[in-house]
Structure formats: C-alpha cells, structure tokens
Amino acid sequence: MLDALAAQRLTKRTLVTVSHAVEQSALAAAEDGPMVVFALFQRLPYFERERRVYERIARSAAVTVVGMAAAQAPEMPAGVHVVLLDEKEELAREWTVVVLTPRFGAVLVAHDLEEFEAGAATLESGRVFEGRSCFRRDEALHEVLRLRRQLGDRLSPAARSAVDMVVDRVRELPATPGESRADAALRVLGDRVERDHRRLRTTGIRAGAVTSPAGDTDIAGEPGVRRWVGATGVTASGVLPVAVLAVRLTSPSGGPDAQIGRTALRQQQAAIDLLLARLRPGDRASKVGPADFMVFLPALGHEEAVAFAYGLVTDFADAETRSGFLSARVTVAVTVTRRRPLPEEQLRQALEWAVAQNTSVVTIDG
C-alpha cells in the first residue's frame, strides 16, 4: 500500500484533474531523452475517455503501457502495449499514471477504497481513493520498476526491452535539481482541488440535498437521482458497489388503492419520513410509483444491505405498535451490484414476486 504519511484520501473528481496534469506533462515538448509511460485504468470504458490523449503520448514515448481488467485485449492505438489484469488482483484496484524520462518524472498512484463521499454530484465522482502524486524522477523510476516487476511476463518482449532501455538511461544521470519546487506546486494543486470539491459537497449536504422535499436527492427528485446514478456501462472491478432496494409500502388490507397507511397525506409523509430516517448522508431515494420507492446505498455490502432491509421492516412494525397512526406493510427487494445501469427492472420484478408471496424481504444477485 501507499506510504501512510504521503497518502491522501481523494475523490475521483480530484484524481481526474491530477491525472490530466501528469498526462499533459508527458505531452509537453521536451528534449530530455526517451520516455516510458505506464497507466492503469481499471476498466476499458475509463480508458476510452482518454484514448486520444494516449494516441498522442504513444507517438512520442519509447513505450506506453496501459493496464486494465478485461477478458480479452481490446484494440489499442498504435504504439500502446495493453496488459490484461485479473479483476481480483491488487493492480486492478489501482488508478496509476507514471511518466519517466532521464531528466523528468511524474507520478500518480491511487488505490480504490470502494467508499463514497457524501454530497458528490454522481456515484462516479464521489468514489474515494487513497492516493499520492509527485513530480520526482526517482519516485517515477521506483514506480516503473515496481510495475515492470509486477506485470512481469505479461509485458510483451518489445515493451520490456523498451522499458529496460529507458531505465538504464535514467540510471546513468542524476536527478534534476529543483524537482521539489515542481512537486510542491503539484501538491498545492491537488490539495486545493480536493478542498474546493469537499466544500461543494459539504454545502450540498448542509443545504438539505439529501432529505429536502425540493432537493435533488429527495423522494420527489427522481430526475436528479437518475443523473446521480449515471450509466457508465461498466461492471466488476473499478466500479463502486451499490446496494439498491425496491420498497413497497401498503396497508394491511392490500387492496390496489390501499397505499401508505390510510392514504391520508399526513400518513404518507410520516411513512416517507420513516423511510428517509434510515438513510446515511450519501444515500438517495426516489418515489417510482404510488407506493413504490427505489433506495440507493453506495458502498454497502450484501450483509449490511439485507440488515438495512429487515431494519426497515422492523421500523414500520415498531411505529405501528407505538401509535397505530402509521399502519403499513413493507416489502423489500434488495441487491448489491457493480452493474451500470443499475438492475432496477429486475428489482421491480422481484418486488412483485415478494408481494405475491407475502414475503417481507427478497434478495437477488447483482
């Protein structure tokens, strides 16, 4: 893992900015000898967004190596060597960009924590990493040697030969004086960007973005929730796991018009308040039918999601026991998934089945 003193908790939104800065350093015109570039993208769709940048990098680099988790090698730009990663190996959790020449080095290394920062504009932008970055040649040399060793024979002979050539040339020359100045500037950039993003997220939470009836994340704000969920079209490693719950609240009579409680507005709002009370600051919910809701819980494991579902059932049972004002049966279909788009239709079908079977909670594979 990363050095504890140097590492920072950074959201994806901040890492995109730092990553672009490192990539631009590779594109800058400089007479400083052969260049090697390593980049780990987790999944192919993330690389596709930067494909043109790496086409340009590959034209000037001695070797450009791109790693990602995939079943088979995708088509790459000319000069880009692709390395396939297993979804379960540690490198598949890395977001890394390393640039090395005999006179220059730039590094971004970040590990996916599979956590979510409350208040983020989207699920993707709120992903949290432990990362560090610098403009130090010897640090870049260290990272190139690490990746050369970890990737081993998965690097093509041509790529290995080119990497070794650049490394040998780097070792012949001392590091350039004054690197600490550029490194300090990069740290200020990263710190400022993350601080600005954190302030925006905090402002959104304080403004009631999670629970305000008029807010983007509220039960009534489904269009905003759609934007927040996104649809990246990627699965497995490199995608934040999300627990998704389809929830139906009906009165004990179970008739088609027997919606929340006795259908009075006060009872309906009381039911919504009880549902929202279990949400964490980073969670969201939307109303998708007269008595149906969809709840999104980022970075929650399967056991915790099932416990949440049963806790919701218990909350409504306890509320009815206390006063009888809110009388509602709760049915929940739950899954934890890395799929995008989220499997909401499958959850709705599972919810209908659970209602027909008089089952409180049903789980489906994500």
Side-chain angles (χ1 to χ4, degrees):
M1 288 296 289
L2 305 175
D3 176 57
L5 296 177
Q8 299 172 283
R9 285 174 57 89
L10 302 170
T11 58
K12 178 177 178 177
R13 189 173 180 183
T14 297
L15 286 174
V16 167
T17 301
V18 178
S19 180
H20 287 171
V22 174
E23 290 162 352
Q24 287 302 311
S25 75
L27 289 170
E31 297 180 1
D32 57 355
M35 178 172 66
V36 57
V37 176
F38 276 89
L40 302 182
F41 277 90
Q42 295 191 307
R43 302 294 292 183
L44 176 61
Y46 300 135
F47 171 77
E48 291 294 353
R49 298 168 187 171
E50 309 297 334
R51 174 179 285 271
R52 292 185 179 179
V53 171
Y54 280 84
E55 286 178 353
R56 295 171 58 198
I57 289 175
R59 294 189 196 116
S60 58
V63 59
T64 303
V65 178
V66 169
M68 65 188 71
Q72 58 185 15
E75 183 179 351
M76 286 282 119
V80 174
H81 300 260
V82 64
V83 177
L84 300 185
L85 307 175
D86 186 278
E87 292 180 353
K88 296 181 180 179
E89 69 177 298
E90 191 68 17
L91 286 176
R93 296 178 57 231
E94 275 196 38
W95 177 344
T96 291
V97 184
V98 182
V99 178
L100 175 67
T101 78
R103 295 292 189 183
F104 175 80
V107 173
L108 167 64
V109 180
H111 290 88
D112 192 345
L113 297 179
E114 296 202 338
E115 297 177 10
F116 180 75
E117 191 72 24
T122 65
L123 280 174
E124 273 293 306
S125 67
R127 292 170 60 200
V128 180
F129 294 73
E130 181 186 56
R132 59 183 172 83
S133 56
C134 68
F135 279 156
R136 292 181 179 271
R137 192 205 66 169
D138 287 351
E139 183 65 19
L141 174 60
H142 171 78
E143 292 301 329
V144 165
L145 292 173
R146 174 182 70 90
L147 293 168
R148 166 72 166 82
R149 181 180 64 256
Q150 287 185 268
L151 295 175
D153 291 341
R154 285 181 288 181
L155 287 170
S156 68
R160 291 199 302 271
S161 176
V163 170
D164 293 343
M165 180 269 292
V166 174
V167 166
D168 290 343
R169 179 63 177 145
V170 170
R171 284 171 166 165
E172 293 175 358
L173 299 172
T176 303
E179 280 187 332
S180 59
R181 299 181 190 277
D183 192 31
L186 181 64
R187 284 201 304 273
V188 170
L189 170 67
D191 290 346
R192 179 64 58 85
V193 170
E194 180 62 22
R195 188 162 59 248
D196 289 347
H197 291 165
R198 187 180 302 116
R199 183 164 55 248
L200 289 173
R201 294 191 298 268
T202 302
T203 301
I205 294 174
R206 289 175 178 172
V210 173
T211 58
S212 168
D216 183 56
T217 66
D218 183 69
I219 287 292
E222 186 179 357
V225 172
R226 296 276 77 74
R227 291 191 297 271
W228 177 79
V229 167
T232 63
V234 292
T235 58
S237 64
V239 181
L240 185 74
V242 181
V244 188
L245 286 70
V247 180
R248 178 169 296 173
L249 306 178
T250 56
S251 77
S253 63
D257 297 323
Q259 295 158 8
I260 303 166
R262 300 180 183 86
T263 71
L265 291 178
R266 288 180 58 202
Q267 292 173 317
Q268 185 177 63
Q269 187 57 52
I272 290 175
D273 291 343
L274 193 57
L275 174 61
L276 291 175
R278 275 202 165 261
L279 301 189
R280 304 165 301 172
D283 300 335
R284 300 204 178 190
S286 61
K287 188 174 183 181
V288 295
D292 288 355
F293 303 83
M294 200 68 69
V295 180
F296 308 94
L297 313 173
L300 201 67
H302 177 78
E303 291 184 4
E304 293 83 0
V306 172
F308 183 101
Y310 279 105
L312 196 59
V313 173
T314 300
D315 287 347
F316 277 84
D318 290 346
E320 182 177 4
T321 299
R322 285 194 302 270
S323 69
F325 170 74
L326 179 61
S327 177
R329 174 191 166 201
V330 183
T331 308
V332 185
V334 58
T335 190
V336 176
T337 183
R338 295 178 187 269
R339 293 167 53 190
R340 303 293 189 276
L342 297 171
E344 296 179 45
E345 182 56 36
Q346 292 91 323
L347 278 170
R348 290 189 182 95
Q349 294 173 9
L351 182 64
E352 294 293 346
W353 180 89
V355 170
Q357 298 296 316
N358 198 30
T359 299
S360 296
V361 177
V362 62
T363 64
I364 67 171
D365 293 336

